[in-house]
Amino acid sequence: MRDIIGRGLTRRTVLGGSLAVAAGLVPWRAAAASRTVKVGSIMPSSGVLAFPGQSCVRGIDLGARFAKERFGVELEVVHADTQSKPENGRIAADSLIRQGCTVLIGAWDSGATISALQAAEAAKVPMVVHIATATQVTSQGFTQVFRFYPTSLTVVRKSLVEFKAMLAGIDNPPQSAAVLHLNNTMGQSTAASIDQAWKESNIPVRIIEYIPYDEKARDLSVEVAKAKASGADSLISVTRVNDAIMVTRECVKQGWNPKIIFTPNGNGVQDKAYYEALGKYADGALASTMYYNPKAPDAGAIIKRFETDYPNQWLDANSGCAFEAVQIVADAVVRANSSASADIHAALKKTDMAPVLMNSGKIKFDETGQNINSAITMLQAQKGKPRVIAPRDIAEASIQYPVQPFEAR
């Protein structure tokens, strides 16, 4: 069966852990019982968000293989592609539910997530939200939502704590910033969060201007020129990976060399596509995100399995969060001892589990469906890869400051 929407990924039935043996890896602990649950996965596998969407699909599929071996749960995953259109979230969810999916995971983009939740709510099918930061996801009274990822305000607040600490440790820090941000649901929510949290945290850098841009923009030369003309010596961005690439290319073309390029909630630095497109110009940018803990007990085996199954790809924040969402579902199914939506929903409400892969506190959901514990990891693009620079207990590199001028590379 083809995808529900578009011409992307085919339907996949996950059959288990024999690949671990074939790859010569140590099998994960398996539970004694075996259950089968049909899981609907809603991702933007094509369109402008295809890079992170496809990364999430890889994380979902790897997560299902892991879950069978760790929990003894057989997950039949059915993938649906939103084509990067928010309105397709509900269409995808409706179709997955009609096919018998009793729990959903998705949908990466906040707009598509809210759309999909409307269908989940009507059908009383729980939905685990692996990534989507808009406040509205858990503030509109949905009863079927279980969001692993923190809200944009939480992400930004935690990011600015790390950012302020970083500023205190460098010489000649920046004095001012321009904020360049998407004008979609996520971008507007994050921009508002930056405005609020910047003041709360008393960041010693003055924001000169907020510059929105359309998420379908094919050229950001005007917006970058406006940021440069503001006189700001640093750039704060809220981007998808395609936009992050366009912004950096314009900085190079226009000869603008901000001391810091920092994304407190968005994509770019974590994505393989960013480095492939920009080459030497990628290095130096900073980003805060929910990222995997390289020191987690199973991290080495998970990363090795990912590299075996997807040799030309990276395990990134997108695939990592999708992987973790599958473990949340599997944990709930084991405790529910059922594949019924109502039983899985009841179990999800009682979730109290340590993350398997991601850098985070214990996973618990409050009455709105929001995970109450989370942690933010600071990354910097260094030598063609994202490197963890904070928190210190899992850091693998130190910050490089200021960003090296583009013309000097």
Side-chain angles (χ1 to χ4, degrees):
M1 181 180 294
R2 300 297 298 175
D3 268 2
I4 295 163
I5 301 172
R7 301 173 56 193
L9 302 163
T10 58
R11 173 177 173 173
R12 303 178 186 200
T13 302
V14 181
L15 296 176
S18 59
L19 288 177
V21 178
L25 303 179
V26 177
W28 289 301
R29 175 174 55 85
S34 180
R35 305 169 185 86
T36 300
V37 179
K38 186 175 280 191
V39 180
S41 165
I42 305 170
M43 303 295 167
S45 300
S46 64
V48 296
L49 304 178
F51 288 127
Q54 291 170 10
S55 179
C56 290
V57 168
R58 291 187 284 271
I60 291 282
D61 288 344
L62 181 67
R65 293 191 284 274
F66 181 98
K68 179 175 181 180
E69 297 177 18
R70 188 174 196 257
F71 295 104
V73 179
E74 185 104 15
L75 299 180
E76 181 183 345
V77 179
V78 186
H79 290 290
D81 178 11
T82 65
Q83 298 177 325
S84 301
K85 298 176 182 178
E87 64 272 20
N88 283 348
R90 180 162 193 163
I91 298 171
D94 274 330
S95 187
L96 288 167
I97 292 166
R98 286 197 301 270
Q99 291 188 64
C101 294
T102 57
V103 60
L104 306 175
I105 297 175
W108 197 87
D109 171 67
S110 291
T113 299
I114 293 168
S115 176
L117 279 168
Q118 293 168 1
E121 191 71 16
K124 300 303 179 188
V125 172
M127 179 169 168
V128 176
V129 177
H130 70 307
I131 297 175
T133 63
T135 304
Q136 298 94 312
V137 171
T138 48
S139 68
Q140 294 187 341
F142 293 122
T143 63
Q144 300 300 311
V145 62
F146 298 90
R147 175 161 55 176
F148 169 61
Y149 210 88
T151 66
S152 57
L153 181 56
T154 300
V155 173
V156 172
R157 278 175 171 159
K158 290 178 179 287
S159 298
L160 293 186
V161 168
E162 295 290 355
F163 185 63
K164 187 175 182 179
M166 182 198 72
L167 292 174
I170 59 177
D171 295 327
N172 191 26
Q175 300 299 306
S176 58
V179 180
L180 189 62
H181 68 91
L182 285 153
N183 69 352
N184 62 5
T185 304
M186 184 278 285
Q188 291 175 1
S189 177
T190 301
S193 297
I194 290 172
D195 187 59
Q196 178 180 339
W198 203 272
K199 297 168 184 173
E200 290 176 350
S201 302
N202 195 26
I203 302 298
V205 178
R206 181 171 63 93
I207 294 180
I208 296 176
E209 190 169 7
Y210 286 84
I211 306 169
Y213 65 90
D214 190 273
E215 65 179 331
K216 297 180 182 178
R218 299 294 183 89
D219 185 322
L220 294 176
S221 57
V222 172
E223 289 80 3
V224 172
K226 190 174 182 180
K228 179 183 178 184
S230 73
D233 60 358
S234 59
L235 172 63
I236 309 299
S237 63
V238 181
T239 59
R240 306 300 196 199
V241 62
N242 292 344
D243 317 332
I245 293 167
M246 285 193 288
V247 168
T248 301
R249 282 175 172 165
E250 282 301 326
C251 288
V252 175
K253 288 180 184 177
Q254 297 184 29
W256 187 32
N257 292 293
K259 291 181 177 179
I260 283 178
I261 301 174
F262 175 46
T263 301
N265 183 32
N267 289 80
V269 171
Q270 65 170 346
D271 298 282
K272 186 171 184 283
Y274 180 77
Y275 299 87
E276 290 178 337
L278 293 173
K280 63 183 180 180
Y281 298 121
D283 282 356
L286 298 161
S288 289
T289 186
M290 213 167 181
Y291 204 66
Y292 67 81
N293 177 5
K295 298 182 181 179
D298 287 314
I302 293 167
I303 293 168
K304 189 176 293 185
R305 175 77 66 86
F306 187 93
E307 292 172 347
T308 298
D309 292 356
Y310 311 107
N312 297 317
Q313 304 297 334
W314 290 351
L315 177 62
D316 60 16
N318 296 302
S319 49
C321 285
F323 176 95
E324 198 72 59
V326 178
Q327 310 319 307
I328 294 170
V329 168
D331 170 72
V333 169
V334 168
R335 289 183 290 105
N337 194 26
S338 171
S339 61
S341 292
D343 295 332
I344 296 172
H345 180 273
L348 283 167
K349 289 176 71 71
K350 296 179 181 178
T351 297
D352 184 2
M353 64 177 285
V356 174
L357 177 64
M358 302 304 286
N359 177 39
S360 172
K362 266 201 163 187
I363 302 167
K364 297 182 178 182
F365 300 105
D366 65 17
E367 65 280 0
T368 71
Q370 178 62 53
N371 178 23
I372 62 174
N373 296 314
S374 60
I376 294 303
T377 302
M378 182 84 80
L379 306 175
Q380 186 174 40
Q382 296 183 7
K383 298 181 179 179
K385 291 278 287 185
R387 310 288 178 182
V388 176
I389 62 170
R392 182 50 50 190
D393 60 338
I394 65 169
E396 52 191 355
S398 299
I399 186 172
Q400 296 178 357
Y401 174 85
V403 174
Q404 184 181 22
F406 295 114
E407 64 273 14
R409 302 187 188 192

